């Protein structure tokens, strides 16, 4: 397979920015703060950090190694090891497809909020006369939801069409430093607001009461595990695909540590931006998915108000948009690379642009139910799963079909495919091919540090944690 046809990173910095960008997305700015708010703050944080150290870093290194060794994306990497492992690769491709179907809807909503605050800066009404009630209005505005879904997917598609070096790497190198600057500006502004200190206490004040309640503990473990998958982009094919574009000189182990480190730091900073802002302006931490939209809009529009509120609101949602688009291009690249690899394997010229276009259209179609079901609020153009089946809270299977299409897609991916894929990969790299990661890491001339630690995690820690997570998911969704 010719590297020039398939693509390759132009620099270590470009790869690092793209990898961090794929990890830093709505999982950090949307998922981390609201899940932390709903599950007790400090307890969630502790479990999350433990999972990153024992599971996240280890899985990421395994995926980078698997991608670079085979020179293929998620769809073909497992098949390159042995045909009987192909099904693991299929799971790694289905996940980003379904994730992007709801991720793009959320990204489109972020873009709409960003443009809304931009218009407000110039003295015009950017929220359709709805003020702080705009979130609910937007959910039922079919034309707006579909339009911004298309715009977000179009931005994603154009960048992926540009290829690895000229598209994804070039974009990531330009926007990631800017993202960091905007984040720091907003954090400083929020920190000086009266009452913000309560948000910091919620995040960092030790509270171990959760660990005395087994049911609550496993619920937080499940939530933190799902957040780790979503936030670090593990078990969804991204790291395998990005690793396949690396040359043998790059230090895999260093990158596998740096990406989770920066991602976790960014998640903490996102929490330090959103939760203290909620505390300062009287918004509920446990707002759920609406925290990013309804709650934060109220913070800027009603809490701060005036020119400062509009400017900070624009900066905030522009920050979220950048984070969302960097993850979105990584998800689309997994799908595009899977087809490009097959084209090259069959001796054909790669048709990256056409492939990215086809997948963008398919994702738009699959994303329509997410865009038009008003996030399960009821009475929308497209009924939520529980409405279609006529289920009530007392019906068997209600938990599985409850809420909205976003949660249904999320249940399939974050709830089943990703932990199952992580379990199978850990067993493969821990027991069947125990030297693969070590050999690939040392192929660059760097010593594989902590080999015993990684081996132990692949063999014992990750399988045990994933079995617990899968069992908790099954109990939550199906029983």
């Amino acid at each position: 397979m010719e590297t020039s046809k398939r693509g390759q990173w132009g620099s270590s910095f470009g790869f690092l920015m793209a990898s961090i960008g794929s990890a830093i997305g709505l999982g950090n700015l949307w998922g981390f703060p609201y899940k932390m708010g709903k599950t007790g703050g400090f307890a969630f944080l502790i479990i999350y950090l433990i999972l990153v150290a024992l599971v996240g870093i280890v899985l990421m290194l395994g995926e980078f190694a698997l991608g670079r060794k085979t020179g293929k994306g998620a769809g073909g990497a497992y098949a390159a090891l042995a045909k009987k492992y192909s099904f693991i690769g299929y799971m790694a491709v289905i996940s980003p497809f379904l994730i992007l179907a709801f991720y793009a809807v959320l990204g489109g909503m972020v873009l709409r909020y960003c443009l809304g605050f931009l218009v407000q800066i110039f003295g015009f009404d950017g929220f359709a006369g709805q003020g702080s009630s705009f979130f609910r209005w937007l959910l039922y505005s079919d034309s707006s939801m579909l339009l911004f879904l298309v715009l977000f997917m179009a931005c994603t598609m154009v960048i992926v069409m540009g290829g690895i070096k000229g598209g994804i790497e070039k974009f990531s190198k330009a926007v990631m430093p800017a993202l960091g600057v905007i984040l720091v500006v907003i954090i400083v502004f929020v920190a000086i607001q009266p009452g913000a200190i309560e948000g910091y206490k919620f995040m960092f004040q030790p509270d171990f009461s959760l660990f005395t309640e087994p049911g609550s503990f496993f619920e937080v473990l499940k939530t933190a595990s799902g957040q780790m998958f979503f936030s670090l982009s593990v078990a969804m094919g991204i790291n395998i695909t990005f690793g396949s574009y690396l040359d043998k000189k790059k230090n895999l182990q260093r990158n596998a540590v740096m990406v989770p480190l920066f991602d976790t730091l960014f998640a903490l900073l996102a929490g330090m931006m959103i939760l203290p802002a909620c505390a300062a302006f009287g918004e509920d931490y446990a707002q759920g998915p609406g925290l990013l939209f309804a709650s934060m809009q109220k913070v800027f529009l009603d809490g701060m108000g005036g020119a400062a509120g509009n400017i900070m609101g624009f900066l905030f949602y522009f920050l979220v948009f950048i984070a969302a688009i960097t993850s979105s291009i990584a998800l689309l690249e997994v799908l595009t690379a899977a087809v490009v690899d097959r084209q090259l394997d069959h001796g054909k010229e790669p048709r990256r642009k056409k492939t990215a276009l086809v997948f963008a259209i398919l994702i738009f179609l699959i994303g329509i139910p997410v865009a038009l079901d008003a996030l399960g609020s009821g009475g929308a153009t497209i009924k939520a799963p529980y409405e279609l089946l006529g289920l009530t809270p007392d019906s068997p299977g209600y938990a599985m079909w409850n809420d909205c299409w976003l949660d249904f897609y999320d249940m399939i991916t974050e709830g089943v495919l990703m932990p199952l894929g992580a379990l199978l990969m850990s067993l493969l790299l821990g027991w069947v091919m125990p030297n693969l990661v070590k050999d690939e890491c040392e192929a660059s001339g760097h010593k594989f540090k902590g080999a015993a630690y990684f081996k132990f995690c692949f063999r014992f820690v990750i399988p045990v944690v994933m079995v617990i997570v899968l069992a908790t998911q099954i109990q939550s969704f199906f029983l």
Side-chain angles (χ1 to χ4, degrees), residues 355-425:
T355 301
L357 173 62
V358 170
F359 274 119
I361 293 172
L362 290 174
I363 288 163
F364 167 76
L365 295 175
I366 300 298
I368 289 176
V370 181
L372 301 185
D373 79 337
L375 294 182
S377 299
T381 300
I382 291 181
K383 293 183 178 181
Y386 73 93
E387 292 178 301
L388 289 173
L389 297 174
L391 298 177
T392 66
D394 297 327
S395 302
Y398 179 77
M400 173 182 175
W401 297 96
N402 189 17
D403 210 0
C404 57
W405 284 100
L406 186 157
D407 282 346
F408 180 61
Y409 290 169
D410 188 47
M411 180 269 291
I412 296 173
T413 55
E414 184 181 306
V416 179
L417 292 180
M418 290 162 67
L420 181 58
L423 171 62
L424 294 172
M425 189 188 82

Side-chain angles (χ1 to χ4, degrees), residues 32 35-36 39 41-48 220 223-224 227:
F32 189 88
K35 290 177 182 177
M36 192 175 195
T39 53
F42 181 78
F44 172 89
L45 176 60
I46 291 299
I47 294 175
Y48 178 81
V220 176
T223 304
Q227 175 61 28

Side-chain angles (χ1 to χ4, degrees), residues 19 21-24 60 63 227-240 263 327 330-331 418:
S19 296
S22 73
I24 294 175
M60 183 168 288
E63 290 184 329
Q227 175 61 28
M228 178 202 66
F229 282 122
F230 203 80
S231 184
L232 295 181
S233 300
V234 293
M236 60 177 71
I238 291 175
N239 298 315
I240 295 176
D263 175 79
S327 293
L331 290 165
M418 290 162 67

